Amino acid sequence: MTPILPSKFDTSFPVIQVSGLTVYRGQYAAVENVSFDLLPGTSSAIVGPNGSGKSTLVQAILDLIPHTSGSVQIFGRPIQKLGKLRHEIGYMPQNFIFDRSFPISVAELVRLGWVKTDRAMSQNAALSQALQRVNATHLRHQAIGTLSGGELKRVLLAYCLVVPRKLLILDEAFAEVDVQGEADFYSLLDELRREESWTLLQVSHDLDMVGRHCDQVLCLNRSLICSGQPETALSPQNLLQTYGSTFSRYHHQH
Amino acid sequence: MQDFLTLLGYPFMQRAIAAGVLMGVLCGFLGSFVALRQLSFFSHAVGHAALVGIAMGVLLQVDPTWTLLPFTLIFGIAVLYLIDQTDLWSDSILNIVLSGALAIGVILTSFIRGYRGNLMGVLFGDILAVNLTDIGLTLLLLIASVSILLATLRQQILLTLNQSVAKVQGVAVQFHRYLFVVLLSLTVAVAIKAVGILLVNAFLVIPASTAKLLSHQFKPYLIGSVAIGAISSLVGMIVSGTLNFPSGPSIVLVQFCLFLIVFGLIKLTAAWVKV
């Protein structure tokens, strides 16, 4: 039986293909000869110590900074040629809201993520549904400056999912979700992945979360030290190689 | 007050009030983006560099408006280009070009033979001297700014919040940054004739900051900034006409008082809620 695909994309064709990617920051190779594929509906995490090039890698994938050599394809095309497929990408960096005093309400912020596509609902319907999915309907009219850290992160997730996407890239955007929010948060991400075959790529420091929710781990320290399923990729030996000898396994403190 | 009503009968006073209110609206509107994009020092530098444009006009014996507009436009774009092309902090770049331009401006002014009394006019402006061309230019800029920025409002807010995210969503970030600087530089040039180099930035900064104290949603903030800009100009002109104060500084004084009043009211309300 032929599976009914949710879209025009082949389920086995990589969403992201990175091959031999090298990025120089001035004279310094911040990312060196990195290659990997992300398959549709999978969840991958980039882990590594501070300064190992995680954010640089993400920014180079999204063409926010130029790369020196190698290539990146998203949905089988170079990012400059994505056209409207660009709207299928959600990107959330750590400092998206740099200034918490920015005069903008939750509803106004979430609406910014909306674009008119064939698959998208009307703006108002999409806004209501996105807020409902992250349990933030009651925050609709609040200013972002009045939200708690956990609330803000749920609202940012609503921003990401206000239109259906194929790929969500989180660069430590949700590093400090509050404890009770955390389980809901990751189960919502899992749900998006299973039901709408979103592909997830996140930069994370939380190896416990990575072990529970990711299919693929990319251990980065300028070059790719190891990659694979969490059980094998996060072996003590690989962690030692990625983080160096001073590393003791990071546990999330609350 | 009777004096003021008589004053209102004069065409120069009507033009001054129209110009003041239009500038209040235009600067309030652009200022709301200036405040959030941390461009206030940018407009400050453009305003001071405008001295070169004015001195060139006087030396070439043409209406300074026609040297001022192209000069501020080129200056604004050049500064943004310099900021993008070096890894120096933007306030260092702004200080460098501001000082350089001021030095050139003062030297050029020293070449002006004979009467240099209108230098005070350059520093403080003279809203009573605006002509219909100035009002037409202000109106044109206002229409251009409002139609461009409102038609792309979601992209404008997104690129103000975070340029990387805007770029990933397909916003032409560089195009919009330069376009905004073009509008801002021309606005500064047009406003200088009315309010002068020293006070032009008040029009861009104070109403928007007052609106930011009042509102934590974007649309009310934008409307508030425009309204405060317009009201300050109107009240400022009345104050100026009634008490025979200089016009530009009267408007800025009203903007400043409104800011203090709003600040005070917010502090009082906060204290009241606590009790």
Side-chain angles (χ1 to χ4, degrees), chain B residues 46-89:
Chain B
V46 171
H48 280 63
L51 182 63
V52 180
I54 295 168
M56 283 196 305
V58 176
L59 284 172
L60 298 170
Q61 293 177 328
V62 294
D63 180 351
T65 307
W66 305 117
T67 48
L68 182 60
L69 283 171
F71 177 78
T72 49
L73 179 63
I74 293 166
F75 183 84
I77 292 173
V79 171
L80 189 59
Y81 179 78
L82 268 180
I83 290 173
D84 281 353
Q85 293 299 314
T86 64
D87 46 12
L88 294 170
W89 289 100

Side-chain angles (χ1 to χ4, degrees), chain A residues 136-149:
Chain A
T137 306
H138 60 291
L139 302 173
R140 190 181 179 120
H141 298 294
Q142 280 200 33
I144 53 164
T146 62
L147 304 178
S148 71

Side-chain angles (χ1 to χ4, degrees), chain A residues 62-64 86-87 89 91 93 95-97 99 101-105 108-109 111-114 141 143 159 165, chain B residues 36 38 153-155 157-158 160-171 212 215-221:
Chain A
L62 290 168
D63 196 36
L64 293 171
R86 215 170 241 287
H87 301 315
I89 307 173
Y91 167 55
N95 59 347
F96 177 51
I97 307 291
D99 169 17
S101 76
F102 198 100
I104 192 167
S105 69
E108 284 177 316
L109 180 71
R111 275 177 204 277
L112 293 181
W114 187 86
H141 298 294
Y159 165 93
R165 302 194 202 263
Chain B
L36 297 179
Q38 272 127 39
L153 189 60
R154 276 185 331 118
Q155 283 142 292
I157 300 174
L158 194 55
T160 311
L161 262 177
N162 192 302
Q163 292 188 10
S164 297
V165 175
K167 200 176 162 198
V168 171
Q169 277 209 3
V171 178
K212 194 164 178 254
S215 177
H216 304 290
Q217 303 198 7
F218 197 83
K219 275 177 195 153
Y221 160 70

Side-chain angles (χ1 to χ4, degrees), chain B:
Chain B
M1 201 63 206
Q2 197 54 47
D3 292 350
F4 182 72
L5 291 178
T6 324
L7 264 179
L8 267 185
Y10 293 111
F12 75 86
M13 193 63 189
Q14 293 159 3
R15 281 200 299 273
I17 290 176
V21 172
L22 276 177
M23 266 163 211
V25 171
L26 175 59
C27 293
F29 183 72
L30 291 183
S32 58
F33 293 93
V34 168
L36 297 179
R37 292 182 189 178
Q38 272 127 39
L39 281 173
S40 61
F41 196 55
F42 184 91
S43 52
H44 177 87
V46 171
H48 280 63
L51 182 63
V52 180
I54 295 168
M56 283 196 305
V58 176
L59 284 172
L60 298 170
Q61 293 177 328
V62 294
D63 180 351
T65 307
W66 305 117
T67 48
L68 182 60
L69 283 171
F71 177 78
T72 49
L73 179 63
I74 293 166
F75 183 84
I77 292 173
V79 171
L80 189 59
Y81 179 78
L82 268 180
I83 290 173
D84 281 353
Q85 293 299 314
T86 64
D87 46 12
L88 294 170
W89 289 100
S90 62
D91 62 346
S92 308
I93 297 275
L94 287 169
N95 255 312
I96 291 166
V97 292
L98 162 64
S99 315
L102 261 183
I104 296 170
V106 174
I107 290 172
L108 284 181
T109 317
S110 73
F111 288 130
I112 299 173
R113 292 185 187 285
Y115 182 62
R116 279 186 224 150
N118 52 6
L119 206 57
M120 277 296 273
V122 173
L123 292 180
F124 297 107
D126 187 359
I127 207 166
L128 298 178
V130 296
N131 54 36
L132 284 176
T133 313
D134 299 322
I135 293 181
L137 281 173
T138 314
L139 194 61
L140 213 62
L141 263 172
L142 179 62
I143 292 168
S145 303
V146 169
S147 49
I148 291 170
L149 296 182
L150 285 190
T152 56
L153 189 60
R154 276 185 331 118
Q155 283 142 292
Q156 298 297 339
I157 300 174
L158 194 55
L159 91 90
T160 311
L161 262 177
N162 192 302
Q163 292 188 10
S164 297
V165 175
K167 200 176 162 198
V168 171
Q169 277 209 3
V171 178
V173 171
Q174 281 305 68
F175 172 77
H176 282 296
R177 282 179 73 217
Y178 276 88
L179 185 60
F180 187 79
V181 158
V182 166
L183 293 171
L184 182 60
S185 303
L186 292 177
T187 297
V188 169
V190 169
I192 274 176
K193 190 158 183 195
V195 294
I197 285 172
L198 292 180
L199 289 177
V200 62
N201 225 26
F203 278 66
L204 287 162
V205 173
I206 303 179
S209 304
T210 310
K212 194 164 178 254
L213 290 180
L214 280 171
S215 177
H216 304 290
Q217 303 198 7
F218 197 83
K219 275 177 195 153
Y221 160 70
L222 191 61
I223 295 166
S225 178
V226 168
I228 293 168
I231 292 167
S232 304
S233 292
L234 193 63
V235 176
M237 288 307 292
I238 295 173
V239 169
S240 156
T242 323
L243 302 173
N244 200 20
F245 285 178
S247 314
S250 301
I251 296 174
V252 174
L253 189 63
V254 173
Q255 291 171 348
F256 181 61
C257 290
L258 277 177
F259 174 81
L260 289 181
I261 290 169
V262 166
F263 176 78
L265 283 178
I266 286 171
K267 283 282 166 211
L268 273 180
T269 333
W272 184 260
V273 169
K274 266 186 194 162
V275 174

